Amino acid sequence: MKVESVRGMRDILPEEVPLWQKLEEEIRSLFALYGYKEIRPPLVELAELFSRSVGEATDIVHKEMYVFPDKKGQMLALRPEATASVVRAYIEHGLYAKGDLAKLYYIGPMFRYEKPQKGRQRQFHQYGVEALGSLDPALDAEVIDLAWHLMERVGLSREGLFLRLNSIGCREDRPAYRAALRAHFSGRKEELCPDCQRRLQENPLRILDCKEPQCQGAIAAAPKSLDFLCEKCRAHFEELLAILEDLGLSYELDPRLVRGIDYYTRTVFELCSRELGAQDALLGGGRYDDLVELLGGPPTPGVGFAGGMERLVLVLSQHGLSQDEASELDLFVIPIGEEGKRRAVGILAQLRRRGISADLDYMGRSLRKAMSVAARRARYALLLGPDELSQNSATLKNLVTGVSSTAPLAEFLSNPRSFLGSTGT
RNA sequence: GGGAGCGUAGCUCAGCCUGGGAGAGCACCGCGCUGUGGACGCGGGGGUCGCGGGUUCAAGUCCCGUCGCUCCUCCCA
């Protein structure tokens, strides 16, 4: 039986990797520029961490999380997102005790048991930042600025993107708003889809997120969270908008934006592409001022976002900003005959120890064919045949100019770089 | 979770409607050119036709099931 990869889990092949590496480098360097430090939490956590933070009733936990018992029967989960893990680590290692804002970032695989399609895999990759310890709206703005900046940095234009923004208030505002939503939707319960009828009890906010046509009428007429903000939340949001305008960052207020995770408070946002179709959210985030306390730490506000690598790769390859040519070798060694082959192995080892990137034809190809491969992969070819070896020399061919020359082997090996032109790495 | 389309060589695909030789282009290998690349010509290797079952004298082709991918919906990154 042929073994294949698991549904929703895919290989990132060598030809795609350069683009991934480039993006990862851009992300790391930009996060560092804003003062964020990398943290690498484990991929496996207690399942309870996510059910308590992300929310038992959310789709992510309720139907998408990989949960399994370990050999002691402890319920574990493959992380469906990383904010909960980062906050857990923040509490567990007392990072709050340093008395400063903790600015952390991560990048790595996440797991959600969903129906795979373009831009959505079961193992996917997210990068994200978390800033823990300040309630300053300027920090919300910094995080949003970072999100925009990152998109510019990887080469996406502002015109192809838009920011959806909303405030859903703090935990004091929530009961009144939730009651208002419940009252509103209860009156129109018959219009709602089955999912929303369930959400009416569990979490009426999520109804706003529903895309079912039959629900749209009731949703459009629903009360808006912005009308239920307390004085502090209102001031916070207004300050944020003012800063965004100062920074020249555009946004679209979206009273329906609530996001699918329970821990959010106040600011929520998504940065979306106009070019991606159904899966258009490139990154999403917001404030989570109660999460640290909820997970057993001291009351500590936080704000952050997470973005999907696969979607970034998708948009960028649509723009043709994809990978560079495969990096070329300095040298390709072509042996002729048994003696040449035997000598080639040793010469190759010496060259590599001198920092020359080099490879050898292991395929037993004809000289003609080997030369053709060499031309594709390397800047120079080194020929080792009976003629050369009888004089302890080697033929070096510049594959760009086509010029060949012969040099004593000892001389070549003592300072190979002087024979290989200036562009050597 | 619901709906639709598609799985044939490493890749892109034709063949399926109207059942009977498994094919093309690219890639790969060899030769022309006995030790020198990109061109050209000739030749060659490579396929459980996704998998399982059914109909039939005969199935890549028709039918059913299943797995996978893609798209829409849903959800989200």
Side-chain angles (χ1 to χ4, degrees), chain A residues 341-353:
Chain A
K341 177 66 186 293
R342 212 160 16 244
R343 294 295 306 277
V345 173
I347 288 168
L348 192 61
Q350 287 187 58
L351 286 169
R352 287 167 173 165
R353 277 171 178 71

Side-chain angles (χ1 to χ4, degrees), chain A residues 23-31 107 127 150 309 312:
Chain A
L23 285 174
E24 287 162 3
E25 281 162 22
E26 294 288 356
I27 288 166
R28 288 176 199 283
S29 69
L30 190 67
F31 286 175
I107 178 166
Y127 53 87
L150 180 61
M309 289 291 295
L312 214 44

Side-chain angles (χ1 to χ4, degrees), chain A residues 13 33 120 183 226 229 235 247-248 313 320 362 367 403:
Chain A
L13 297 172
L33 193 66
R120 189 166 78 190
L226 289 179
L229 298 186
L247 293 174
V313 168
Y362 290 105
L367 173 59
V403 176

Side-chain angles (χ1 to χ4, degrees), chain A residues 61-74:
Chain A
V61 167
H62 184 237
K63 45 188 215 196
E64 296 170 3
M65 195 157 72
Y66 280 91
V67 180
F68 57 94
D70 72 3
K71 294 198 175 190
K72 283 189 172 173
Q74 210 169 206

Side-chain angles (χ1 to χ4, degrees), chain A residues 150-332:
Chain A
L150 180 61
M151 296 304 123
E152 293 164 20
R153 180 86 162 250
V154 301
L156 296 177
S157 73
R158 288 194 179 189
E159 292 69 41
L161 304 168
F162 63 101
L163 181 79
R164 299 168 65 205
L165 184 64
N166 193 20
S167 174
I168 56 174
C170 60
R171 77 181 127 176
E172 278 76 38
D173 309 338
R174 205 64 62 74
Y177 182 49
R178 193 169 283 145
L181 284 175
R182 212 169 256 143
H184 168 78
F185 286 118
S186 296
R188 310 178 64 157
K189 188 169 179 179
E190 286 65 37
E191 294 176 42
L192 299 177
C193 67
D195 275 343
C196 286
Q197 298 199 10
R198 177 177 54 80
R199 288 171 181 145
L200 190 52
Q201 285 315 308
E202 288 175 355
N203 190 352
L205 256 74
R206 298 293 317 289
I207 298 178
L208 298 175
D209 226 7
C210 183
K211 311 284 193 311
E212 285 293 327
Q214 65 183 101
C215 300
Q216 298 311 306
I219 290 171
K224 296 177 176 172
S225 60
L226 289 179
D227 295 328
F228 288 78
L229 298 186
C230 63
E231 254 330 294
K232 282 184 176 173
C233 286
R234 177 178 310 287
H236 181 98
F237 194 55
E238 281 169 4
E239 178 68 10
L240 169 60
L241 298 187
I243 298 171
L244 291 180
E245 272 153 36
D246 282 351
L247 293 174
L249 298 175
S250 62
Y251 57 85
E252 297 174 9
L253 289 184
D254 185 347
R256 292 184 44 187
L257 180 64
V258 295
R259 305 198 33 81
I261 298 175
D262 284 355
Y263 54 63
Y264 284 116
T265 54
R266 292 194 171 176
T267 312
V268 291
F269 64 90
E270 284 179 1
L271 192 56
C272 303
S273 164
R274 299 187 195 280
E275 302 162 23
L276 272 190
Q279 270 71 52
D280 70 341
L282 288 172
L283 58 86
R287 260 197 180 277
Y288 42 88
D289 295 331
D290 302 327
L291 182 56
V292 177
E293 191 176 4
L294 179 74
L295 292 176
T300 308
V303 58
F305 70 74
M309 289 291 295
E310 279 79 2
R311 299 224 178 136
L312 214 44
V313 168
L314 262 181
V315 195
L316 289 177
S317 29
Q318 278 177 18
H319 281 238
L321 304 172
S322 50
Q323 58 276 18
D324 308 316
E325 285 297 296
S327 68
E328 57 173 22
L329 296 167
D330 294 320
L331 189 73
F332 195 78

